Amino acid sequence: DIQLGPNNVSMGELDRIAQNIIKSHLETCQYTTEELQQLAWQTHSYEEVKMFQGKPRDVLWQQCAIQITHAIQYVVEFAKRISGFMELCQNDQILLLKSGCLEVVLVRMCRAFNPLNNTVLFEGKYGGMQMFKALGCDDLVSAVFDFAKSLCALQLTEEEIALFSAAVLISTDRPWLMEPRKVQKLQEKIYFALQHIMQKNHMDEDALAKLISRIPTLSALCTLHTEELQAFQQLHPETVNVLFPPLYKELFN
Amino acid sequence: LKEKHKILHQLLQNSTS
């Protein structure tokens, strides 16, 4: 604890923050690294992909909304286990999760993405972009796949994914925070911990800068998701109102 | 905000499983 890191945060404290976030991440991931490795080359057959493509648009939208909602519930659990998060006021906890949960889901998605054949884990097996054709939003799907590929290219360790997820979630960029200083203090510590780990792991000095440069893309993807949802809802209001998970509607509608 | 996000608020209130 004697050695001081940036901003006079002790290295011991940075280490404690990092360990807490890594543990929270590992405890709240839907799949362990081992499970993902075992599944990595189990891909949907041609017939299975055709089956997804043949689904009515609203059915596939509903299926994706359910999967996203499921993933978000794990992200809420991740947030709750981060030291300091539950000490923020309830308004800010809700705001940070409302605006950041989908971004964290997208960051976590890179764990379940195989960049060698551009496939993602969906409904138990890996499949390519064509699996989501029936959603009718090729631009969004293609942008999400591009993002996952670009994040995979950085070859992040599980520890780095954990800290980056926390940094994305605990962000002072969100509007209407009631205690932005408190959020900022927590965010700074997370960034220092991330910086410390990345300097240790990567030869590339710009690795952290490259990672941070992906954040605007994350935000753009979430905006695109909201726009596509609105467009879909205009055509299928009943599907959204009656069949979509209540948490999904609460967060995005 | 709590009123508009009852499910999220409830998830935050639930004890960590």
Side-chain angles (χ1 to χ4, degrees):
Chain A
D1 266 20
I2 295 164
Q3 194 191 352
L4 289 179
N7 244 17
N8 286 348
V9 181
S10 78
M11 294 311 282
E13 190 181 355
L14 284 191
D15 195 46
R16 275 193 296 277
I17 291 165
Q19 291 315 314
N20 159 255
I21 291 173
I22 293 162
K23 185 170 180 281
S24 306
H25 167 79
L26 293 174
E27 285 171 351
T28 60
C29 275
Q30 281 172 273
Y31 295 93
T32 66
T33 320
E34 293 73 31
E35 284 167 339
L36 290 167
Q37 276 166 359
Q38 279 173 6
L39 286 167
W41 294 101
Q42 294 189 28
T43 49
H44 285 293
S45 66
Y46 176 77
E47 288 74 21
E48 284 166 335
V49 172
K50 280 276 160 215
M51 185 269 294
F52 283 115
Q53 289 177 334
K55 285 190 181 208
R57 188 182 185 207
D58 56 334
V59 171
L60 192 60
W61 259 92
Q62 187 195 352
Q63 208 169 348
C64 288
I66 291 169
Q67 294 290 343
I68 290 171
T69 308
H70 195 212
I72 285 171
Q73 286 171 307
Y74 284 88
V75 173
V76 175
E77 204 53 44
F78 168 61
K80 284 164 70 177
R81 292 174 194 220
I82 296 174
S83 294
F85 184 85
M86 294 308 278
E87 277 70 66
L88 299 172
C89 64
Q90 284 186 343
N91 177 83
D92 291 357
Q93 292 171 20
I94 292 171
L95 258 178
L96 292 176
L97 276 165
K98 184 181 172 70
S99 45
C101 64
L102 187 59
E103 295 188 10
V104 176
V105 168
L106 290 167
V107 171
R108 287 179 154 204
M109 196 192 104
C110 79
R111 300 175 71 245
F113 187 84
N114 184 346
L116 299 173
N117 58 4
N118 292 324
T119 56
V120 71
L121 185 61
F122 183 70
E123 301 283 341
K125 288 182 192 173
Y126 280 73
M129 253 174 9
Q130 65 277 18
M131 199 164 51
F132 300 100
K133 195 96 193 133
L135 289 176
C137 43
D138 290 352
D139 286 356
L140 173 61
V141 173
S142 150
V144 167
F145 271 66
D146 285 349
F147 174 80
K149 198 174 172 71
S150 78
L151 210 55
C152 286
L154 298 178
Q155 297 189 300
L156 300 176
T157 63
E158 208 64 62
E159 287 82 3
E160 290 161 351
I161 294 172
L163 286 163
F164 183 55
S165 300
V168 164
L169 186 67
I170 297 163
S171 163
T172 45
D173 291 341
R174 314 303 185 192
W176 314 114
L177 287 170
M178 285 176 78
E179 299 174 332
R181 281 290 299 154
K182 222 168 157 184
V183 176
Q184 189 186 359
K185 273 190 171 173
L186 191 53
Q187 186 186 26
E188 277 174 3
K189 287 178 188 170
I190 295 167
Y191 266 109
F192 291 142
L194 177 60
Q195 186 180 31
H196 182 62
I197 281 204
M198 290 200 75
Q199 278 170 351
K200 216 167 54 179
N201 291 348
H202 293 263
M203 296 295 281
D204 181 359
E205 286 178 10
D206 296 331
L208 180 63
K210 284 179 185 166
L211 183 56
I212 291 170
S213 74
R214 303 294 193 272
I215 292 177
T217 311
L218 269 178
S219 162
L221 287 173
C222 292
T223 306
L224 196 52
H225 164 257
T226 307
E227 288 168 1
E228 293 288 1
L229 174 62
Q230 282 167 356
F232 173 78
Q233 193 177 12
Q234 283 193 335
L235 291 171
H236 301 274
E238 280 297 297
T239 306
V240 176
N241 293 339
V242 181
L243 299 173
F244 274 28
L247 178 60
Y248 182 92
K249 283 189 285 182
E250 189 178 280
L251 291 166
F252 305 119
N253 202 3
Chain B
L1 202 64
K2 251 191 286 183
E3 282 304 303
K4 281 188 173 177
H5 298 87
K6 283 186 178 148
I7 304 168
L8 183 55
H9 182 239
Q10 189 58 52
L11 287 173
L12 284 163
Q13 293 303 302
N14 290 348
S15 60
T16 300
S17 47

